[in-house]
């Protein structure tokens, strides 16, 4: 007779409602707690307003129309991050990207003129960081759904980069950049990598490991001279000037 214990059936293990909502991409855990406390969440058709409630994974969760409208009203901005700006918290000698979200730095040609104007930026969080020595498209959002979809490596949101490089790259090296490299003992997901011109490569990734492109290039003998992110999902950097920002339209949101 075996004395070993059986692993529990995960389908029968209760999980915190707020965590389950975040895992499903419905919102962030903080937003989930806000919606639960306000009575805006139903579990199997019953309003559930007690923080810390646990449910089974198979139970059905619904947000009220008010909660969905509140999410849709939360601003997301696209910033053209310059060199020397950090994405997250300010660091010694460097300013943070959030400090650029001011009314005077809003792009004058922003077609979405109504609503958020940069006066209250405290609720914005970076979705998908850029290194201090990289430039280009950076999203800052108050909508947990967007942050999760961009950050989650399994979310399928493409990120496109233009990368200026130095060094020789043969066919074998190019194929390795597309698939076959590992970082930190983990295999990288397939990427689309192509030459744009004699010294620039286009990378389209579905993940965002720390300094991933620079480290990939090092593995095939290339040095990255400049790196710019030009697209996240349907959001294009386009002609947005460096150091300015604009609001995202609903149709653009990842």
């Amino acid at each position: 007779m075996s004395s070993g214990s059986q692993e529990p059936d995960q389908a029968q293990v209760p999980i915190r409602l707020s965590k389950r909502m975040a895992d499903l991409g419905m919102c962030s855990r903080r937003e989930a707690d806000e919606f639960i406390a306000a009575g805006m969440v139903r579990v199997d058709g019953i309003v559930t307003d007690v923080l810390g409630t646990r449910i089974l994974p198979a139970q059905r969760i619904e947000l009220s129309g008010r909660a969905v409208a509140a999410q849709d009203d939360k601003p997301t901005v696209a910033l053209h991050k310059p060199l020397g700006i950090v994405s997250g918290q300010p660091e010694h000698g460097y300013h943070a990207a959030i400090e650029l979200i001011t009314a005077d730095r809003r792009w004058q040609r922003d077609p979405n003129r109504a609503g958020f104007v940069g006066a209250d930026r405290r609720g914005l969080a970076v979705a998908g960081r850029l290194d201090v020595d990289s430039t280009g498209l950076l999203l800052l959002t108050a909508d947990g759904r967007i942050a999760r979809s961009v950050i989650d490596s399994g979310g399928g949101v493409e990120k496109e980069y233009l990368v200026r490089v130095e060094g020789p790259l043969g066919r074998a090296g190019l194929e390795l950049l597309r698939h076959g490299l590992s970082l930190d003992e983990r295999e990288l997901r397939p990427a689309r990598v192509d030459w744009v011109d004699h010294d620039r490569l286009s990378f389209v990734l579905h993940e965002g490991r720390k300094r991933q492109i620079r480290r990939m290039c090092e593995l095939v003998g290339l040095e990255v001279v400049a790196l710019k992110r030009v697209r996240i999902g349907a959001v294009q950097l386009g002609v947005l000037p460096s150091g300015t920002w604009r609001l995202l339209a609903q149709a653009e949101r990842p």
Side-chain angles (χ1 to χ4, degrees):
M1 177 181 290
S2 172
S3 60
S5 60
Q6 286 188 326
E7 290 293 325
D9 182 355
Q10 293 302 310
Q12 300 302 316
V13 177
I15 184 174
R16 284 180 70 102
L17 174 56
S18 58
K19 182 179 187 306
R20 181 60 175 159
M21 292 170 66
D23 289 345
L24 291 172
M26 300 176 72
C27 55
S28 68
R29 292 187 69 166
R30 178 181 57 80
E31 288 172 324
D33 283 338
E34 293 173 358
F35 294 149
I36 292 166
M40 297 182 183
V41 180
R42 291 178 178 269
V43 177
D44 290 339
I46 300 172
V47 172
T48 303
D49 58 4
V50 178
L51 294 177
T53 294
R54 290 179 175 270
I55 67 168
L56 295 176
Q59 290 186 268
R60 187 178 76 258
I61 306 170
E62 299 171 284
L63 287 178
S64 71
R66 284 194 301 141
V68 174
Q71 287 180 303
D72 290 343
D73 284 343
K74 291 186 175 182
T76 298
V77 303
L79 169 71
H80 187 160
K81 189 188 89 64
L83 281 173
I85 297 291
V86 295
S87 296
Q89 295 297 317
E91 299 176 12
H92 181 69
Y94 297 103
H95 292 286
I98 191 72
E99 297 176 39
L100 301 181
I101 310 303
T102 57
D104 62 306
R105 284 185 174 272
R106 186 171 185 177
W107 188 32
Q108 293 183 350
R109 291 168 53 190
D110 186 351
N112 302 302
R113 297 304 302 172
F116 178 78
V117 294
D120 185 4
R121 62 194 186 192
R122 290 172 296 176
L124 296 177
V126 172
R129 297 188 175 196
L130 275 176
D131 300 327
V132 66
D133 47 359
S134 299
T135 66
L137 181 61
L138 189 67
L139 298 185
L140 297 96
T141 184
D143 188 337
R145 298 171 301 179
I146 293 174
R148 186 173 183 83
S149 70
V150 173
I151 295 169
D152 186 357
S153 62
V157 176
E158 291 185 342
K159 293 93 171 176
E160 183 176 354
Y161 304 80
L162 290 180
V163 185
R164 192 175 300 278
V165 296
E166 288 183 350
L169 180 68
R171 184 69 187 179
L174 183 61
E175 290 302 323
L176 277 175
L177 289 174
R178 290 171 174 165
H179 193 215
L181 295 177
S182 296
L183 294 177
D184 306 319
E185 300 182 349
R186 288 173 52 203
E187 184 177 331
L188 294 172
R189 298 179 65 184
R192 294 207 309 271
V193 184
D194 294 288
W195 284 107
V196 177
D197 49 40
H198 71 285
D199 65 348
R200 284 194 307 164
L201 288 164
S202 167
F203 282 73
V204 178
L205 307 180
H206 288 86
E207 59 189 329
R209 307 269 191 95
K210 187 174 182 179
R211 298 182 73 82
Q212 177 173 337
I213 291 177
R214 295 177 189 277
R215 294 165 70 194
M216 289 172 68
C217 288
E218 287 176 7
L219 290 174
V220 297
L222 293 176
E223 179 185 356
V224 172
V225 177
L227 188 155
K228 175 187 283 190
R229 184 159 62 198
V230 296
R231 180 173 63 86
I232 299 175
V235 186
Q236 301 277 354
L237 178 64
V239 296
L240 183 66
S242 179
T244 68
W245 62 272
R246 66 175 181 86
L247 274 174
L248 256 61
Q250 285 288 343
E252 293 180 282
R253 299 187 179 193

